[in-house]
Amino acid sequence: MIGYAMVFERIGYLPSTLATFVIGMLLLRERRITQFLLMPALIIACVYFGFTHLLSVYLPS
């Protein structure tokens, strides 16, 4: 989480959060390819949409 916080401002929300999700799923030994590809993208898209469109809070991209 410290690494995520350090790179969040430099590379933006989308790539840093995607990398964090993928690393977390690897650590938890997720091997189902559909879960591995779809879940991070779906969750990140929903959070990004919620912040930018519903709350008008723009995240670094």
Side-chain angles (χ1 to χ4, degrees):
M1 292 311 293
I2 293 171
Y4 173 70
M6 289 172 46
V7 299
F8 181 81
E9 285 292 325
R10 290 186 182 171
I11 65 172
Y13 169 76
L14 296 174
S16 64
T17 306
L18 182 61
T20 302
F21 262 96
V22 169
I23 291 169
M25 291 178 83
L26 287 171
L27 289 173
L28 294 172
R29 300 180 190 259
E30 178 62 57
R31 297 294 178 235
R32 293 175 289 186
I33 195 71
T34 56
Q35 292 287 335
F36 197 77
L37 295 176
L38 294 178
M39 290 309 293
L42 182 64
I43 292 170
I44 291 169
C46 289
V47 170
Y48 189 77
F49 176 79
F51 271 94
T52 57
H53 293 294
L54 299 176
L55 298 174
S56 298
V57 175
Y58 294 98
L59 300 169
S61 55

